[in-house]
Amino acid sequence: MIKYLITSALPYANGPIHIGHLAGCYIPADIYVRYLRLKGEDVLFICGSDEHGVPITIKARQEGKSPQQIVDFYHEMMKKSFYDFGISFDHYSRTSAKVHHQTASDFFKTLYDKNIFVEEVTEQFYDQEAKQFLADRYITGTCPVCKYENAYGDQCENCGSSLNPTDLINPKSKLSGSVPVLRPTKNWFLPLDKMQPQIEDWLKTHQNNWKHNVFGQCLSWLNEGLKPRAMTRDLDWGVKVPLADAQGKVLYVWFDAPIGYLSATKEWIGDKWKDYWQNPDTRLIHFIGKDNIVFHCIIFPAMLMAHGGFVLPSNVPANEFLNLEGDKISTSRNWAVWLHEYLNDFPGREDELRYVLTSIAPESKDSEFTWKDYQARVNNELVAILGNFVNRTLVLTEKYFNAKVPDCGKYTPEDLACLESITKAQQSIETALDNFRFRDALAALMDLARIGNKYLADQEPWKIFKTDASRVATVLHVSLKLTAAIATLSKPFLPRTADRIFSMLAMKEVSWKDLKAFQLPVQQRLNNIKLLYEKIEDAPIRKQIDKLHDSKIKQVQTPVINLPVKPDISFDDFQKLNIITATITEAERVPRTDKLMKLCVDTGSEKRTVVSGIAQCFEPHQIIGQKVLLLANLAPRKIKGIESRGMILMASDSEGKLFFATITGDAGNGNPVS
């Protein structure tokens, strides 16, 4: 029996999930998995947080935290967001887990023992001020291909070119800003150049069943000629290289991250992992964004080939990028719609976002999300078409048959045509999903709802009930059957919608294979009829647009700060200040204020509340665990009705950006600063 092993790209644990991530791989993967489950297939859906690599260490340095603190926070945030949104992973793991470190280490050692790697001493950039070798992402410079000035040492995010740090023009260290120098260091390379014929032969077998954008990008890499790629890095955060002469080195994050799929499987089902990863009947399918194509279609398959014994990807249906309101999504510029914020701002509207992002999915080219389009699609499609048909059917049944499923008489040609549309829609959806065309599949579902609306409008049961109640019973029986079919067919796309429909029908779910033959339970009473969807008004949409606009203004405005000249104080005055180390344990915005944030700080001996004017520079989730210096003996004062006991010491730059005043190392809480 065929087994399906479905993976979504491991989200990087240095920030929240945004709608670009959802449209790129998580919603398509979830739709596909839910579809397979409805069909009764053996499917395992795996994901987890990618917690190693240089961006993690950079963020940790910026925030004065350890890398583990950073990944712990974002792992829990992302995991909760996915769960709240309804992404139905069988298991969501993380690459800092012990099982992953062991699995990745063993994988590397197997390749090493098979003499796969090429050990080579190369010249690598070294920061003389920071006194350390620089991993690829610690180096920026001008891309030699497109001349983008902020390309990274491993990839240009502007043109997508894969780079080596030495390719950059005018390279600079992100640690100190200085120009790095080249120094010799030893690393272990995967000889992709020698493996190219094997990779090429395998890729050719997928020329006709992979998406054109995916296969085309692979072909361009092959045409350029694959080059050896270092699988180790000089870094102190990650999976340690399991060799005696590799002190201070870790596995390259793009070597260890895809192994996270394997380690997550081991963590979930133990020794049964081989039933999926080493079974020739397994279909391994990676859902990713286009920036990860080379790693999932060339590097990871090459690793699996070199190791031996593993199945190779059957398909990699990568999507292109989703843009936002006329601009590229940018986490650094806060130009994004964050999932956790959406769930807070639009509670209970998870399916609305799933619907819109699926209907505009960037399947073959970049697409764009706008809040006005979101509003229009929800109101004019979900509410006016799908919601309208279901609501009309249920309300009419309640009105004319006391909310009980009526029996039906002899079918007319119109009835049969309507019922036949269920089978046609199911076939269209199945064909589209089997070929990863999620937009087409969703369109077929909505066309079925349109057929239902037209059927009701043509039959006009409200006009003939008094003269032909039996005909109305048949019309509503057909409409209820269509409603149940819509519930089943919508389950992959709109899972909460499907659950609500079946709940109102007081029915168990109908499986995919039973859809054609199922019968409605006659005289079954409908349950708690409610609107499926409600219109989205202008006010919340305007608020979201304003939020984005405000973030853009903050990017271009440069506040002028005139620092007042303060008089000298005596040493005795300074001695009166009780400045201690502390840690922020809780943070929330003060309602109806723009700048104030209510903080709970741990001083070692107690937890106290401090109100601080930092809300325009930080989000609450960003500062949990932040080490701070606290002026502890500042007289208490009430701010917006909250008693504040102390002051957090901050610094600001010429643009008004705030920075926490803190110390390096772990001094604990409550220690004096003198």
Side-chain angles (χ1 to χ4, degrees), residues 22 53 66 80 206 209 276 317-318 324 358 363-364 382 388 393 412 456 464 468 523 552 589 611 614-615 639 655 659:
L22 294 174
S66 69
K80 183 178 187 302
H206 295 293
N209 69 310
Y276 290 88
L324 172 62
T358 304
E363 292 177 354
S364 58
L382 280 181
N388 181 58
T393 298
T412 67
L456 277 177
I464 62 172
D468 196 350
Q523 295 303 306
K552 181 167 282 190
R589 293 179 178 274
V611 177
I614 61 174
I639 303 175
E655 297 180 352
F659 301 87

Side-chain angles (χ1 to χ4, degrees), residues 565-579 631:
V565 178
K566 298 182 179 180
D568 293 340
I569 63 170
S570 67
F571 182 74
D572 289 339
D573 289 334
F574 174 75
Q575 286 286 80
K576 294 177 183 177
L577 302 178
N578 180 24
I579 302 173
L631 179 56

Side-chain angles (χ1 to χ4, degrees), residues 494-553:
L494 310 168
R496 288 186 169 90
T497 294
D499 292 344
R500 288 197 293 267
I501 294 175
F502 278 124
S503 175
M504 289 189 289
L505 290 172
M507 286 177 55
K508 292 182 179 179
E509 289 187 6
V510 180
S511 72
W512 198 267
K513 64 182 177 62
D514 294 334
L515 190 57
K516 186 173 183 179
F518 88 97
Q519 298 297 320
L520 284 172
V522 176
Q523 295 303 306
Q524 173 75 51
R525 182 177 291 277
L526 305 182
N527 175 54
N528 196 23
I529 298 172
K530 292 182 178 179
L531 290 174
L532 269 186
Y533 309 103
E534 293 185 1
K535 279 192 172 184
I536 295 180
E537 303 299 334
D538 292 340
I541 296 300
R542 184 74 258 163
K543 183 178 179 181
Q544 297 300 321
I545 295 172
D546 289 345
K547 184 196 296 187
L548 281 170
H549 180 67
D550 289 345
S551 73
K552 181 167 282 190
I553 290 175

